[in-house]
Amino acid sequence: KIMWKSQEDLAAYAAPMIAKLAGVEQAVCFTVAGLIGLDLTAGRLLWRVPIKTSFGRNVTTPVIVDNWVVVGSYQAGLIGVKISAGSNGLKAEQAWVNKAAAMNFSSPVAVGMHLYGLGPAKNLICVEVATGKITWTKEGYFTTAANVAHASFVGLGKNILVCTDGGQVVLIAADPAEFHELGRAQVCGL
């Protein structure tokens, strides 16, 4: 059982995402053993979804959209969890898994009901939050091996800024229907 005296203790302990899911404000953490929601005041466990890997790590930051929490694991895949109110508190149900959209080191961003991130084949991908369906994929932006490729994603309204592992900054449209590059610049590296 996890307990803390203040929200400052919580932040120092877990570096969680704070979100309101199914009407309850909570800390959401992606730990080595899975995804959990914790009461902000006492640290009481509100819900848990086990996600174990043989690597003993989960790296991506949870992405929260409405009552959905999406996390990526290189071995387990991209996972969508729906949080709802149940008769005994909150209920967390793993709604879908998409191994073709597995994310390893880079956390995706959400714009509307779609996620944009780095897929397992060194590809930019767009995934529908409610279903896990990949709506488009685009190769050719990353220089390292697929299992160690990395990028940073920042949502900018209806666009997304992507910093690639090759030192490029690429501006793309947050369009779930198809990929649109709006511009790019080499800012470091090569």
Side-chain angles (χ1 to χ4, degrees):
K1 185 174 183 180
I2 300 170
M3 299 293 285
W4 49 77
K5 295 178 184 172
S6 68
Q7 287 191 11
E8 290 79 20
D9 288 347
L10 167 64
Y13 176 78
M17 297 286 298
I18 305 297
K20 192 170 200 173
L21 294 162
V24 177
E25 193 168 28
Q26 58 197 273
V28 177
C29 304
F30 193 24
T31 72
V32 69
L35 187 60
I36 59 174
L38 301 169
D39 176 82
L40 287 176
T41 306
R44 180 178 51 87
L45 183 67
L46 299 172
W47 53 268
R48 173 191 323 253
V49 176
I51 303 169
K52 295 196 180 210
T53 69
S54 63
F55 291 152
R57 64 161 170 79
N58 289 311
V59 180
T60 62
T61 301
V63 177
I64 298 166
V65 179
D66 293 335
N67 289 319
W68 287 93
V69 181
V70 181
V71 292
S73 167
Y74 181 69
Q75 286 185 323
L78 192 65
I79 301 164
V81 175
K82 181 75 170 180
I83 310 300
S84 59
S87 57
N88 295 329
L90 295 180
K91 183 169 81 170
E93 294 181 284
Q94 184 174 304
W96 54 263
V97 175
N98 186 338
K99 290 199 177 210
M103 297 182 186
N104 192 16
F105 295 117
S106 298
S107 298
V109 296
V111 177
M113 289 300 291
H114 288 83
L115 246 93
Y116 301 83
L118 173 59
K122 299 193 315 186
N123 55 330
L124 291 171
I125 59 174
C126 176
V127 178
E128 189 175 52
V129 170
T131 65
K133 176 186 168 202
I134 297 173
T135 61
W136 57 254
T137 181
K138 180 68 174 171
E139 290 76 26
Y141 284 90
F142 301 95
T143 60
T144 55
N147 65 335
V148 295
H150 56 279
S152 296
F153 295 84
V154 177
L156 301 169
K158 294 184 179 187
N159 298 320
I160 298 165
L161 194 62
V162 182
C163 183
T164 72
D165 57 7
Q168 285 191 342
V169 174
V170 182
L171 185 65
I172 65 171
D175 182 349
E178 60 184 338
F179 176 81
H180 295 285
E181 179 182 312
L182 302 173
R184 76 167 82 184
Q186 187 73 38
V187 296
C188 65
L190 309 174

